[in-house]
Amino acid sequence: MNVQTSGLHHVTAIAGAPQRNIDFYVTGLGLRLVKKTVNFDDPGTYHLYYGDDSGRPGSLLTFFPWTGIAPGRHGSGQSTSTAFSVPAGSLGWWSEHFKSLGVESRLTSVSSHEERLSLRDPDGLQLDLVASSTVDPRNPWDSASVPAEYAVRGQHSSVLTVADPAKTVEVLTRDLGMHVLSESAGRVRVGAGDGLAGNIVDVIADPNGTVGLTAGGTVHHVAFRVPDKSTQQQWREELADRGYAVTEILDRQYFTSIYFREPGGVLFEIATDTPGFDIDEPLLELGRSLKLPPWLEPSREQIERKVAPISLPAENNPALVAGA
């Protein structure tokens, strides 16, 4: 493969009530809502993007929230956990923070190199906060509810649970240009570039497990980074030549995307780093207004009537509140 990913771009999951989703991820996890738009394939529901101050690739978790959606089932053929990087020594603070919100969390692994705090969001999505001995240099979003000294630095890793890990690892290494970092019983850790936080995928073997059902509280797809559209086009051609059923390049306004499903059943996306989330609203105002692509703008009135009313915590745009 001539093209290699530089790491994770975003993870997209499915949620229920959008206001509950916003309250948890802005106030609970301390992320910033950087874009409020709609699902371009189903404009009657939102597409909500959370990340750091500007929504840099590798910081993003996004949701399609459908009020009343049935719960999904975690299982084989899915990304079964999404992890975020937090500073070493911060998990005690996070445990107390979640306790104050009525959210149950527990330490699931402790070693000299890495500690992991596990929890579920209000829809049952599996999340992990990973505190590593390796310093994550990325700047956090300093919110009112989560001080910068404890705050999320960005994505850490995604867990893929599949029946045959060898085939999935082959896709990640041969077709996405990643490399194996470590192997243990039933788990292979694969990394892009330096293999640090934001560039990691853990592949777990579950040969006899129940196949997952994509619905509320589950991951829809995992997206990997590519610098620009021309590189993405080259990558698409190479993947198609290898026999993958790859989509055409799709315009997502803030990046362009291609999609294909790896042999284990997980839907992969390759998304560009550019143009970013400040192309249609200033950095200070990210997430405040419903943004629509040009082809949906003529239907704005109907769309705004159909989507659920939501409000954004003031801490999402503190400079604007201070200047009001």
Side-chain angles (χ1 to χ4, degrees):
M1 216 59 189
N2 294 322
V3 186
Q4 299 179 345
T5 183
S6 56
L8 294 166
H9 187 283
H10 68 269
V11 170
T12 293
I14 299 174
Q19 187 63 58
R20 182 177 65 182
N21 184 261
I22 289 170
D23 292 342
F24 178 80
Y25 283 95
V26 173
T27 304
L29 206 58
L31 302 180
R32 187 183 191 192
L33 181 70
V34 295
K35 195 61 58 180
K36 179 172 61 177
T37 183
V38 294
N39 182 335
F40 294 171
D41 302 314
D42 180 12
T45 191
Y46 291 108
H47 192 176
L48 304 175
Y49 291 80
Y50 303 93
D52 61 13
D53 61 333
S54 61
R56 294 175 182 86
S59 74
L60 295 162
L61 177 61
T62 93
F63 286 91
F64 301 136
W66 280 285
T67 300
I69 192 169
R73 180 178 63 242
H74 300 120
S76 180
Q78 288 182 332
S79 174
T80 50
S81 178
T82 300
F84 287 94
S85 172
V86 295
S90 68
L91 293 187
W93 182 92
W94 277 104
S95 179
E96 289 301 314
H97 173 66
F98 289 130
K99 184 178 180 180
S100 72
L101 298 174
V103 176
E104 182 180 349
S105 64
R106 61 190 180 93
L107 281 173
T108 55
S109 65
V110 179
S111 70
S112 60
H113 174 65
E114 184 178 289
E115 295 183 327
R116 187 175 293 254
L117 186 74
S118 295
L119 64 143
R120 292 185 184 269
D121 83 353
D123 291 292
L125 185 71
Q126 178 66 49
L127 302 172
D128 291 301
L129 298 185
V130 178
S132 171
S133 59
T134 302
V135 175
D136 188 333
R138 294 175 293 180
N139 292 324
W141 170 242
D142 187 6
S143 74
S145 57
V146 182
E149 62 190 293
Y150 308 115
V152 167
R153 267 50 183 172
Q155 286 193 59
H156 178 273
S157 55
S158 283
V159 171
L160 311 182
T161 300
V162 295
D164 183 355
K167 291 182 179 179
T168 298
V169 170
E170 183 180 27
V171 172
L172 292 168
T173 55
R174 184 191 67 181
D175 301 315
L176 298 188
M178 303 176 80
H179 52 278
V180 173
L181 298 172
S182 63
E183 296 184 58
S184 58
R187 179 186 291 257
V188 180
R189 173 163 285 194
V190 180
D194 56 18
L196 299 178
N199 304 330
I200 299 169
V201 174
D202 288 321
V203 183
I204 293 179
D206 190 9
N208 301 312
T210 302
V211 176
L213 173 65
T214 303
T218 65
V219 169
H220 186 270
H221 62 265
V222 177
F224 297 89
R225 297 176 63 176
V226 66
D228 51 47
K229 190 174 179 180
S230 62
T231 311
Q232 183 182 61
Q233 177 61 41
Q234 177 189 347
W235 207 346
R236 184 195 174 280
E237 292 169 2
E238 292 189 20
L239 288 168
D241 287 344
R242 287 184 179 265
Y244 292 103
V246 191
T247 67
E248 296 297 325
I249 293 177
L250 301 173
D251 184 1
R252 300 311 193 192
Q253 283 293 97
Y254 313 107
F255 47 87
T256 58
S257 302
I258 57 175
Y259 302 83
F260 69 99
R261 200 170 293 276
E262 57 85 31
V266 184
L267 182 62
F268 283 173
E269 174 183 355
I270 296 174
T272 57
D273 286 350
T274 55
F277 290 95
D278 59 354
I279 62 166
D280 56 2
E281 57 186 338
L283 186 63
L284 288 179
E285 299 184 21
L286 291 181
R288 293 188 82 202
S289 303
L290 178 64
K291 295 299 179 182
L292 300 177
W295 60 91
L296 290 178
E297 194 61 51
S299 302
R300 173 175 285 276
E301 188 174 335
Q302 300 95 300
I303 290 171
E304 289 183 337
R305 282 200 304 264
K306 191 171 183 181
V307 295
I310 54 177
S311 60
L312 196 58
E315 64 188 88
N316 202 70
N317 305 96
L320 293 176
V321 175

